[in-house]
Amino acid sequence: MSRERSLCGKEEVIKAAMGIADREGMEALSARRIAKELGVSSMTIYNYVKNLNDVKKRVLIAGFDRLYSGVYQSLSALEPPVGRRTMCRTMALEVFRFAQANRSIFSFMFFDGRNLFHEDAEVRPFYAFMTRFVSRPRGHVAGWRPDDMPFNLLEIIITTMSYQCAEGVIKLTEQAFMDHVNFFIERCVDE
Amino acid sequence: MPADVHRRFLKLLGWDGEELEAFLPEWLKTAEFLRLTEADVAFAVDEWLPTYWDMSMCGTRKFIAAVIREAAAMARAGDYINAGESVIYSMMPSAAVCVYANRIAGEGKVHIFYPYFIIATVWTSFFGRELDARLNGSGLDPACQHCALNCLRADSTIKGMIAPPTVIWNWGLQCDEAPKTDEMLKRLEEAGWKSVLTTIPHDAPLGMDESEDDGRVSYLAEEMRVAQSQVTGYTGVPVLDEHMSGAMREYLGYLRRVERLTDLVMNSDPVPMYGNDLTLFSLCMECAFDTGYGYINDALDTAIAEVEQRIREGRGVLPKGSPKLACHFSPLNVPWIDKIFRDNGVNLTLGRMFPPASQLIKCVKPGDAYRSAASMCLEAPNNVNMLDEVRMTCGQLNRYPVDGAIYGFFAFDRWIGALEKIMIREAEERTGIPHFYLEGDFWNGARFSLDDKLATIRGICSCLKISSLASGK
């Protein structure tokens, strides 16, 4: 009688899921596929996670961790003070590069996964990054709301173009992408 | 020598020489009462305390020592009963003033303890022992998200770990699980303990400022008065106005110190103190110690002086400009949370977001002390309706320069846990400060893992650091 291998914890399941998503895409993610990767039965997976959506949520959060860690590294390498336009450009470029390197996870983070989880309290703060990180100086809500619109639009432009490019819907070089971003920033974002 | 590790533990917390040797036998009994093995104590001394607490701060060591002294006093509860004295157990959250007034009135013959709160705090905060691992046999399945304090209560009662008190003063100000556990123990386990309940219905309209509502304050004041008369029925010690006034004075003295320390820490850049340590000092906001306010006030005065010194020297736990994240839960029960944030460049601050003393002092009016106590109780954010809590939370967030707020870890709580996610959105809308959330249970770290939370916390830290760069900090 074979004895089932036990896992170290939930993190082992999430790491395996991230690996599958990276290599084969989010669409390949299933309890059976994760179980195969880890050499255990599908039922064992459910000892560590509630359901497949629980795994997907953790993959999505791990994606944001990767993305924002990269954004922060790039921004902190710049000579301070960093102006708003420079921040927008740097973030746009990081998002574009992340999308090309993590096609499936990026698509999930900003499209299918967003529909699933954007109201989840743990996930919600990771969206609307342009308004949350760049637009709003600290203070009362009334102080920043009128300024949100260009940042919302810029985020849509960045994520949509990055997605389309990563999925092969449009073909753009990094420079061509940044030309579009610059076109918008110069007209709509104050320094 | 078996006592060596215990000596090292006491020495770490500031005991020395004859005082250490005099306290050692009592601590050994306390460790036995707390089911702490030598390995547990060695782990605390060598790993847990130095990793998660700023043991270079004398104030922190003194406050931990004050909690240990309280645990030691609690371990003697059976002796007090046998000597014909009265012992009152109480539950969190409570009106500390009402419970403490019994200690004053008793003049050494009435003892007050919060056994489940103290045991849970000592285990999780200072010894890294999860409650799930200790709790079994209570019949309360941890997977059902019961409050770990109530599981502990049921389990410790069934196992005879805690001596039966003269009376247990049970509070259901906010969460109804404590009274339910009380009923379960009485009916199913025949614990035979005497209990008195103070509760308030959750029928306040959303947004009502409950501490300003005369009817609500009167109701709670009357509940407290009736409960006190029942408690007196068991202890035989009447609590007079002068005892309530004395308790109020001591409580306010403590609150003022907490406010002073909080103001110093929150208005400093760099932040001079760990988030765990700052929260530790507000431990007695909703409870009282049988060992009194002497030890904890001394610890607070010491910490205030140390923090002032650090501010003068420009010393902080992280570099100047590091983001500050206000914490709505009690991080000290899961102390690694504070450390992960700190390791990722973010200060966790303002644990529990209690109202400052200056706000609570406004509730104290001449005349009926129970009205003042009731009004103060209703000025505590976790005792009131969700939008009233939002008002108080926003007051705290606007009082101090914070870069974000973190909520969560109340998954076990039938009141806060149910409404918190809605509350966050409202508070974020009102303040404009980014709000984050972590699923979990701060009483019981065994129900989630560091690895599980790491990506989320790192993501939050990156968000806050990006915001700091954007604001030119």
Side-chain angles (χ1 to χ4, degrees):
Chain A
M1 195 170 154
S2 67
R3 186 172 166 175
E4 181 83 3
R5 178 171 98 83
S6 64
L7 303 176
C8 294
K10 188 173 181 175
E11 191 58 17
E12 199 173 340
V13 176
I14 305 305
K15 273 186 186 152
M18 283 295 281
I20 294 165
D22 278 335
R23 291 190 308 273
E24 301 164 31
M26 286 297 291
E27 50 281 3
L29 211 58
S30 67
R32 188 177 293 179
R33 180 68 191 83
I34 298 168
K36 189 180 169 194
E37 183 87 358
L38 293 168
V40 297
S41 73
S42 300
M43 287 312 293
T44 302
I45 300 298
Y46 293 113
N47 288 335
Y48 298 91
V49 296
K50 280 185 242 168
N51 48 45
L52 193 59
N53 269 359
D54 188 17
V55 177
K56 287 180 175 175
K57 180 180 150 182
R58 292 293 148 203
V59 168
L60 185 143
I61 288 173
F64 276 115
D65 174 28
R66 271 190 203 173
L67 170 63
Y68 292 142
S69 170
V71 169
Y72 175 67
Q73 295 301 327
S74 294
L75 287 171
S76 56
L78 299 172
E79 191 70 32
V82 183
R84 271 180 161 190
R85 286 180 171 181
T86 308
M87 284 209 70
C88 290
R89 287 189 189 103
T90 309
M91 289 176 75
L93 186 57
E94 280 300 321
V95 171
F96 183 80
R97 286 176 175 168
F98 179 87
Q100 309 318 302
N102 305 272
R103 178 198 64 80
S104 186
I105 292 176
F106 178 82
S107 299
F108 186 70
M109 284 160 62
F110 286 97
F111 296 92
D112 292 348
R114 184 176 192 148
N115 287 338
L116 264 178
F117 297 115
H118 78 284
E119 288 296 311
D120 183 286
E122 274 190 314
V123 175
R124 191 177 57 84
F126 293 124
Y127 288 110
F129 57 86
M130 277 294 176
T131 46
R132 280 177 188 276
F133 302 161
V134 188
S135 159
R136 300 175 184 178
R138 195 177 176 283
H140 192 267
V141 64
W144 47 255
R145 177 146 284 171
D147 203 19
D148 275 358
M149 203 178 288
F151 293 93
N152 280 329
L153 283 170
L154 180 58
E155 184 168 333
I156 292 167
I157 291 167
I158 292 168
T159 52
T160 307
M161 289 185 78
S162 297
Y163 166 76
Q164 290 185 341
C165 201
E167 294 289 344
V169 178
I170 57 169
K171 292 197 185 309
L172 276 181
T173 62
E174 200 170 277
Q175 185 55 54
F177 168 76
M178 286 309 294
D179 287 344
H180 285 79
V181 170
N182 280 325
F183 178 86
F184 182 87
I185 288 175
E186 280 160 20
R187 283 159 184 77
C188 299
V189 176
D190 295 332
E191 187 55 86
Chain B
M1 218 174 131
D4 277 357
V5 69
H6 294 286
R7 281 198 178 85
R8 285 201 292 129
F9 175 72
L10 294 177
K11 204 166 176 60
L12 181 65
L13 298 183
W15 272 276
D16 207 1
E18 287 177 11
E19 194 199 8
L20 187 153
E21 293 304 323
F23 188 71
L24 183 62
E26 195 170 342
W27 163 244
L28 290 173
K29 279 186 198 164
T30 308
E32 191 182 348
F33 164 74
L34 292 169
R35 314 291 200 259
L36 292 170
T37 64
E38 279 178 30
D40 289 331
V41 178
F43 174 72
V45 175
D46 297 328
E47 292 184 44
W48 192 262
L49 290 171
T51 302
Y52 298 115
W53 297 90
D54 187 351
M55 299 307 283
S56 70
M57 284 201 66
C58 185
T60 297
R61 295 198 305 272
K62 281 185 175 181
F63 205 102
I64 297 174
V67 179
I68 294 298
R69 284 180 201 276
E70 181 65 12
M74 198 175 71
R76 291 195 299 268
D79 298 339
Y80 295 137
I81 294 282
N82 291 338
E85 297 175 2
S86 294
V87 170
I88 301 169
Y89 288 166
S90 199
M91 307 292 295
M92 288 278 286
S94 71
V97 169
C98 296
V99 179
Y100 195 71
N102 285 272
R103 178 188 180 271
I104 294 177
E107 295 178 338
K109 301 289 184 195
V110 175
H111 303 273
I112 53 162
F113 297 114
Y114 291 71
Y116 319 108
F117 176 59
I118 292 296
I119 292 171
T121 299
V122 170
W123 278 354
T124 58
S125 306
F126 308 141
F127 289 90
R129 289 289 163 260
E130 305 299 352
L131 297 189
D132 269 353
R134 304 259 159 168
L135 306 176
N136 46 58
S138 65
L140 296 173
D141 184 350
C144 293
Q145 300 278 29
H146 288 288
C147 172
L149 284 194
N150 288 311
C151 293
L152 174 59
R153 180 181 176 190
D155 192 60
S156 59
T157 306
I158 291 162
K159 288 179 179 168
M161 177 182 174
I162 295 172
T166 310
V167 60
I168 180 160
W169 193 342
N170 203 357
W171 297 77
L173 289 176
Q174 167 203 48
C175 171
D176 60 357
E177 196 171 312
K180 277 173 184 283
T181 309
D182 196 50
E183 189 173 313
M184 185 197 81
L185 286 170
K186 276 185 176 173
R187 306 230 176 235
L188 301 180
E189 305 297 341
E190 297 176 355
W193 291 17
K194 307 283 188 291
S195 65
V196 167
L197 175 64
T198 301
T199 190
I200 187 164
H202 295 147
D203 58 358
L206 281 175
M208 171 198 268
D209 183 343
E210 295 191 38
S211 68
E212 290 291 321
D213 185 79
D214 186 64
R216 199 126 182 107
V217 172
S218 299
Y219 180 92
L220 182 55
E222 204 50 40
E223 277 281 304
M224 289 170 167
R225 202 188 320 273
V226 169
Q228 179 57 65
S229 67
Q230 291 172 332
V231 168
T232 295
Y234 291 114
T235 63
V237 176
V239 171
L240 309 175
D241 283 351
E242 67 198 65
H243 303 129
M244 284 291 285
S245 302
M248 186 71 82
R249 264 196 310 278
E250 291 211 47
Y251 182 60
L252 290 178
Y254 162 72
L255 289 187
R256 284 193 191 94
R257 287 173 169 89
V258 173
E259 182 175 17
R260 170 75 182 140
L261 181 66
T262 308
D263 282 350
L264 282 170
V265 173
M266 294 304 297
N267 292 319
S268 297
D269 188 16
V271 174
M273 185 180 244
Y274 288 5
N276 283 338
D277 296 47
L278 181 60
T279 311
L280 176 67
F281 289 99
S282 60
L283 202 71
C284 301
M285 295 286 286
E286 292 174 327
C287 75
F289 279 8
D290 192 57
T291 42
Y293 286 95
Y295 293 119
I296 56 179
N297 284 345
D298 177 42
L300 268 157
D301 290 339
T302 306
I304 288 167
E306 286 176 305
V307 164
E308 284 172 336
Q309 179 68 22
R310 286 184 175 190
I311 292 169
R312 277 194 296 275
E313 294 169 359
R315 287 165 58 204
V317 295
L318 286 173
K320 189 175 167 63
S322 301
K324 286 180 196 166
L325 187 61
C327 182
H328 181 256
F329 54 87
S330 174
L332 65 94
N333 300 108
V334 216
W336 50 260
I337 295 279
D338 175 47
K339 185 168 187 303
I340 303 180
F341 275 106
R342 198 164 55 250
D343 289 348
N344 283 281
V346 170
N347 295 291
L348 202 61
T349 58
L350 213 61
R352 296 295 303 276
M353 295 195 206
F354 284 117
S358 48
Q359 184 72 21
L360 293 172
I361 288 167
K362 290 178 193 164
C363 300
V364 182
K365 306 268 165 59
D368 186 350
Y370 285 101
R371 274 194 67 88
S372 296
S375 181
M376 285 172 88
C377 233
L378 294 173
E379 197 55 43
N382 54 6
N383 290 339
V384 293
N385 70 81
M386 186 260 288
L387 286 182
D388 200 17
E389 179 170 8
V390 169
R391 175 185 66 79
M392 294 177 207
T393 302
C394 292
Q396 285 289 75
L397 293 175
N398 287 323
R399 179 183 167 105
Y400 300 114
V402 295
D403 301 283
I406 181 95
Y407 298 73
F409 282 92
F410 271 105
F412 64 91
D413 194 287
R414 298 159 64 99
W415 183 241
I416 301 178
L419 295 167
E420 197 177 27
K421 291 174 186 172
I422 305 167
M423 190 188 89
I424 294 169
R425 300 184 82 136
E426 185 65 26
E428 186 173 53
E429 185 70 17
R430 290 190 192 185
T431 61
I433 295 167
H435 281 42
F436 301 93
Y437 182 84
L438 287 170
E439 295 284 358
D441 171 353
F442 67 77
W443 283 125
N444 208 337
R447 294 182 196 176
F448 52 91
S449 72
L450 183 153
D451 283 341
D452 186 26
K453 294 290 161 211
L454 199 54
T456 316
I457 292 176
R458 274 198 313 245
I460 292 169
C461 291
S462 293
C463 292
L464 291 167
K465 289 187 287 189
I466 293 167
S467 285
S468 289
L469 286 174
S471 62
K473 277 190 182 174

